[in-house]
């Protein structure tokens, strides 16, 4: 999340503050308000903003983000997604996994995209509001061109055909499904309209009667998914959105799947990159995240030479001179100083809404925040890079909340850091187990502050 010292939070609304604090209390990355925590990312801002502006102007961008576990990849992509949303992009974050969302099945990736599609006005899934806004825009354009009420349906059909002409070359059923959806709405058949829209979103097992009504057949396949993505981008643009920001998170999970599935997934990724660079998807900003082992190891990108060539980036120089315009960028992760700085930022953000702000700042002073950071890092084998999530969870949920609610609570006297295996991620648990190998329990670590 942060790689520099503390940045004191500016004046923010109670709702934004509460969203951030509540997520940290749960040990999660906040869904919004990330600019309040984003210290140390200014080095990327100019290049990434320029890329977002290029996509908003009809270009397309592919970006690969690399970082160790705990370096803030999810935070970074959500922070960038917020910047995209402020430019009126639609946003979708997709977790790649062997069982839920295998990358080699692009029809499943497309389905997850539509399920997680969000805009500045609508939470997931925003597919229906986007499609409805598109038809409204077509009607407005037809009326502006002089169409009468009687002529409106025919003129809207003409505009639909014209706007989706390029899409129909690759996926004619996309336009057909949109017509079926509109016809079902006109007939007040909500059940059929919802089913057709589900099919348009890539959902399988849609009722055969709804598909027949819309004039489409079967389920979406791997190649059809690319055409449907192209169609979705057209609909987004014509309904007033400047682009689509998509994150494929945790792509490094490909290293753990069967070799045949891994090879298919790597080739699908190569295909996606080529399609983005070819200009087929104007308005798309596509991001993947992965660990260095995924990009550099023989079980990841290096397994497919054409993909390795497309992602090749020089990281042999000092990280200070990394090129943020490159196809692949790295997040340097945390050190002790930056972890403490982030803790101070959260402490000050929390204090602004506390019953007695000065008490929070005095009791949880800078020295205590530093001590807690050292202790949490120590519980994870001194691996500060994977400590931020747990550190912030402990700071908010077990220290700041108690100081705020109990006037006589002093964490130096009344709190002892306890880390149990059930609250850790797999990576954190492995590190904690290694540290406590000589302890009576590998899942229970007590540290005195």
């Amino acid at each position: 999340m942060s790689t520099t010292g503390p940045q004191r939070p500016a004046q923010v609304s109670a709702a934004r503050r509460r969203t951030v604090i509540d997520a940290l209390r749960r040990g999660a990355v906040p869904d919004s308000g990330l600019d309040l925590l984003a210290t140390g990312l200014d080095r990327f801002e100019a290049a990434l903003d320029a890329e977002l502006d290029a996509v908003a102007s009809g270009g397309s961008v592919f970006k690969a983000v690399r970082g160790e576990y705990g370096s803030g990849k999810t935070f970074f992509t959500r922070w960038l997604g917020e910047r995209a949303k402020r430019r009126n992009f639609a946003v979708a974050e997709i977790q790649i996994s062997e069982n839920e969302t295998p990358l080699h099945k692009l029809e499943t990736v497309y389905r997850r995209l539509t399920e997680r599609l969000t805009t500045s006005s609508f939470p997931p899934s925003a597919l229906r509001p986007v499609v409805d806004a598109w038809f409204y825009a077509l009607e407005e354009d037809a009326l502006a061109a002089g169409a009468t009420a009687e002529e409106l349906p025919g003129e809207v059909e003409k505009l639909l055909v014209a706007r989706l002409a390029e899409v129909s070359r690759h996926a004619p059923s996309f336009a057909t499904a949109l017509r079926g959806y509109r016809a079902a709405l006109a007939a007040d058949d909500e059940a059929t309209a919802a089913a057709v829209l589900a099919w348009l979103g890539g959902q399988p097992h849609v009722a055969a009667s709804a598909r027949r009504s819309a004039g489409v057949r079967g389920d979406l396949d791997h190649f059809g998914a690319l055409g449907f993505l192209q169609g979705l981008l057209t609909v987004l643009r014509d309904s007033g959105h400047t682009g689509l920001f998509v994150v494929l998170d945790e792509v490094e999970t490909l290293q753990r799947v069967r070799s045949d599935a891994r090879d298919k997934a790597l080739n699908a990724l190569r295909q996606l990159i080529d399609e983005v660079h070819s200009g087929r998807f104007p308005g798309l900003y596509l991001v993947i995240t992965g660990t260095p082992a995924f990009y550099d190891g023989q079980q990841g990108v290096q397994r497919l030479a054409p993909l390795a060539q497309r992602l090749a980036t020089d990281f042999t120089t000092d990280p200070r001179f990394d090129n943020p315009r490159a196809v692949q960028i790295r997040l340097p992760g945390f050190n002790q100083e930056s972890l403490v700085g982030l803790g101070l930022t959260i402490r000050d953000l929390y204090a602004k809404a506390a019953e007695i702000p000065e008490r929070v700042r005095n009791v949880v002073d800078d020295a205590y925040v530093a001590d807690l950071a050292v202790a949490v890092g120590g519980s994870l084998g001194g691996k500060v890079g994977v400590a931020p999530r747990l550190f912030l969870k402990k700071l908010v949920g077990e220290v700041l909340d108690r100081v705020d609610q109990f006037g006589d609570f002093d964490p130096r006297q009344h709190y002892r850091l306890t880390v149990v295996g059930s609250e850790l991620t797999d990576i954190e648990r492995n590190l904690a187990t290694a540290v406590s190998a000589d302890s009576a329990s590998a899942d229970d670590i007590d540290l005195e502050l």
Side-chain angles (χ1 to χ4, degrees):
M1 292 186 202
S2 166
T3 56
T4 65
Q7 173 178 301
R8 306 304 183 195
Q11 189 67 33
V12 298
S13 69
R16 292 185 73 210
R17 185 186 299 110
R18 184 170 56 250
T19 296
V20 170
I21 296 299
D22 285 350
L24 297 178
R25 184 182 289 118
R26 301 191 310 271
V29 175
D31 289 325
S32 61
L34 300 182
D35 56 307
L36 303 177
L37 312 179
T39 59
L41 297 181
D42 53 329
R43 59 182 299 190
F44 298 108
E45 287 182 359
L48 296 178
D49 285 349
E51 290 177 349
L52 288 171
D53 291 341
V55 172
S57 298
S60 54
V61 167
F62 172 84
K63 207 77 170 180
V65 178
R66 68 188 274 146
E68 297 288 359
Y69 290 105
S71 62
K73 297 188 293 296
T74 298
F75 178 92
F76 177 85
T77 55
R78 289 185 183 174
W79 167 79
L80 184 54
E82 279 195 351
R83 299 180 78 82
K85 200 174 286 187
R86 285 198 291 269
R87 287 170 166 76
N88 204 26
F89 277 64
V91 174
E93 178 184 322
I94 304 166
Q95 301 292 321
I96 298 300
S97 67
E98 179 180 9
N99 297 324
E100 296 292 328
T101 314
L103 184 56
H104 67 281
K105 295 185 177 180
L106 291 182
E107 66 274 24
T108 304
V109 175
Y110 172 80
R111 181 166 77 245
R112 296 286 181 257
L113 189 160
T114 61
E115 290 171 351
R116 291 160 171 72
L117 187 68
T118 181
T119 68
S120 57
S121 302
F122 296 98
S125 165
L127 179 62
R128 183 161 190 167
V130 165
V131 171
D132 289 345
W134 185 64
F135 277 117
Y136 177 79
L138 293 185
E139 291 176 354
E140 289 295 300
D141 288 349
L143 292 172
T148 64
E150 293 76 16
E151 297 170 337
L152 188 59
E155 293 303 312
V156 168
E157 173 65 20
K158 291 179 182 178
L159 287 175
L160 185 152
V161 171
R163 302 282 172 86
L164 295 177
E166 180 62 24
V167 176
S168 295
R169 291 178 54 240
H170 303 281
S173 55
F174 187 87
T176 302
L178 284 171
R179 293 189 188 93
Y181 171 71
R182 181 173 172 80
L185 288 180
D188 291 325
D189 188 349
E190 172 59 29
T192 297
V196 172
L197 193 67
W199 187 88
L200 191 72
Q203 296 294 334
H205 315 307
V206 172
S209 58
R211 285 187 275 119
R212 282 196 301 270
S213 174
V216 295
R217 295 183 295 176
D219 292 330
L220 184 64
D221 62 16
H222 177 94
F223 297 102
L226 294 176
F228 273 40
L229 174 58
Q230 194 176 358
L232 178 60
L233 288 165
T234 300
V235 169
L236 283 167
R237 183 189 64 232
D238 290 348
S239 61
H241 295 281
T242 51
L244 173 62
F245 179 85
V246 177
V247 178
L248 303 181
D249 202 10
E250 298 184 1
V251 178
E252 69 270 3
T253 57
L254 296 181
Q255 298 171 101
R256 301 191 291 271
V257 304
R258 296 191 325 271
S259 60
D260 59 335
R262 184 188 312 136
D263 290 342
K264 291 178 182 177
L266 292 172
N267 192 58
L269 182 57
R270 192 271 313 158
Q271 181 183 6
L272 273 174
I273 294 173
D274 287 350
E275 295 283 12
V276 170
H277 290 162
S278 74
R280 180 178 178 181
F281 301 124
L284 177 64
Y285 195 120
L286 178 62
V287 180
I288 67 169
T289 72
T291 58
F294 169 70
Y295 293 110
D296 302 336
Q298 292 304 313
Q299 298 305 312
V301 168
Q302 300 304 315
R303 188 178 178 92
L304 182 63
L307 178 60
Q309 293 166 4
R310 286 157 176 76
L311 296 180
T313 306
D314 179 17
F315 290 116
T316 60
T317 57
D318 189 311
R320 293 179 301 160
F321 305 117
D322 282 0
N323 179 15
R325 298 174 182 172
V327 66
Q328 186 182 155
I329 58 176
R330 64 175 164 183
L331 303 181
F334 283 82
N335 55 35
Q336 193 64 39
E337 179 184 359
S338 60
L339 187 62
V340 173
L342 180 59
L344 297 179
T345 298
I346 298 303
R347 189 267 320 270
D348 291 347
L349 183 67
Y350 189 103
K352 286 181 177 293
E355 291 290 333
I356 308 177
E358 285 309 311
R359 167 173 158 73
V360 171
R361 294 191 185 96
N362 291 335
V363 175
V364 188
D365 57 17
D366 293 8
Y368 180 83
V369 172
D371 288 344
L372 183 63
V374 169
V376 174
S379 73
L380 299 177
K383 301 292 186 181
V384 176
V386 298
R389 185 197 71 83
L390 186 61
F391 167 63
L392 295 177
K393 183 175 185 290
K394 298 292 185 181
L395 177 63
V396 172
E398 298 184 7
V399 176
L400 292 172
D401 279 347
R402 286 169 170 161
V403 171
D404 187 36
Q405 295 177 85
F406 305 106
D408 57 348
F409 178 79
D410 183 346
R412 288 184 172 86
Q413 298 181 38
H414 306 124
Y415 174 66
R416 183 176 68 171
L417 175 66
T418 302
V419 178
V420 296
S422 60
E423 66 181 326
L424 302 179
T425 64
D426 290 341
I427 298 298
E428 292 166 347
R429 188 178 300 111
N430 290 339
L431 291 170
T433 300
V435 170
S436 57
D438 297 328
S439 303
S441 171
D443 293 325
D444 194 347
I445 305 168
D446 293 334
L447 295 174
E448 291 280 350
L449 288 180

